Amino acid sequence: MKKVSVECRNIRLAYGKTEVLKDINLVIEPGEFFALLGPSGSGKSTLLRLIAGFNQQNSGQLLVDGADISHVPPHKRNIGMVFQSYALWPHMSVWDNVAFGLVERRLPKAEIQEKVQSALELVGLEAFATRRPNELSGGQQQRVALARTIVIEPQVLLLDEPLSNLDQKLRVQMRQELLALQRRLGITTIFVTHDQEEAMTTADRMAVMDQGIVQQVGTPANLFDYPCNRFVANFVGTMNMLEGQVQERSANMLQLHIDGVGLLKVPLVDEGSVPEQNRLAASFRPHTVQLESGNMNKGNDARYIWIPGTVIRSEFLGEFTRYEIQCGEKTIIADQSHYSGLPQHTVGAPISIGIEPTQIRLLPI
């Protein structure tokens, strides 16, 4: 099967005066597993349905393998879609559900037999061919929906939150199976989800969307480590934000007066990456900080920026303990890895937070 690219060029979609998609520009590489990540109402499912042909943009182009398919009807696009509800025919057997698209295309019976058998083997359901959907588990129903889609050999596979109806353990198993199947087929796949863990564990790259706008595109690690704005920083993981006023800039140092905390001196590795605004947020992930009991003087420690505080809340989450620490007028979240015998910091205890300068991202407010 030939691997194809999908490209959105300046796509805009509005319902009346309500803009749902605003100037969408994306290039999805041939054979890529690409995720559209965002909250409800961000436009991700609307964009997926537009690629499938169920929505029509007001302006812009949609290209598959370099050809503009903006005005091609859905049934002629050779794009397969797995819906959140699976949309299986309840009165049909698994075999007939999978064969449905091939029967509609009036393929020879021998070819249908061969293709359905291969699709069922791919998803591990060859032993369930005679069962009805209501005799299957949620994970098995999802596999039927996948088999029904891949049996027609689409150029592009679209997945609209296909794991949302499954329990947590099965979701983890199924996302691993989805990725393994995609790798075997090499099919260009676009996966819509509001769950950052699902996107980060499956996608080669992903686009974070909000209010119909693509906020940032990149690999999961790149978006997690180098978010371009506050929305991406907070949506992809948990982020501390210390807002403040820029006091001084130099080639290798920025001094930021944090509201209610005091002066924070942030060494700069790349001055060109620092926003030009006079008010910025010094942001850092909870797991990157160091914790030490007491408010000790750490002024000579060049490795970390130390801030004194008081533990106001703690949550034991198994692999780590999450602390909320009051630092002046700010609350900072800090995660400490847990292992047997490690003493926990008690609520009300003084504590010092060490922030490694290389882990600070300066973001516009």
Side-chain angles (χ1 to χ4, degrees), residues 215-230 232-233 236 239 269-270 273 283 285 357-363:
Q215 301 290 323
Q216 189 173 356
V217 179
T219 65
N222 181 258
L223 268 62
F224 187 83
D225 291 339
Y226 300 98
C228 68
N229 58 36
R230 291 162 60 93
V232 176
V236 183
M239 186 73 91
V269 178
D270 179 10
S273 66
S283 60
R285 300 288 183 189
T358 60
Q359 300 303 312
I360 295 177
R361 304 289 174 256
L362 294 167
L363 300 175

Side-chain angles (χ1 to χ4, degrees), residues 9-74:
R9 292 183 183 173
N10 305 310
I11 284 181
R12 175 185 170 273
L13 173 62
Y15 299 124
K17 294 182 179 180
T18 303
E19 282 193 296
V20 183
L21 298 175
K22 306 172 186 177
D23 199 29
I24 302 293
N25 286 280
L26 282 175
V27 177
I28 299 163
E29 301 295 338
E32 189 171 31
F33 198 116
F34 192 92
L36 297 174
L37 176 66
S40 297
S42 61
K44 58 188 186 301
S45 290
T46 300
L47 179 57
L48 197 76
R49 293 178 65 82
L50 185 147
I51 295 170
F54 303 136
N55 294 328
Q56 178 67 49
Q57 68 264 31
N58 299 107
S59 59
Q61 294 177 296
L62 173 66
L63 289 81
V64 172
D65 199 26
D68 190 352
I69 64 165
S70 299
H71 301 290
V72 175

Side-chain angles (χ1 to χ4, degrees), residues 3 24 100 335:
K3 298 179 181 180
I24 302 293
F100 183 80
D335 293 341

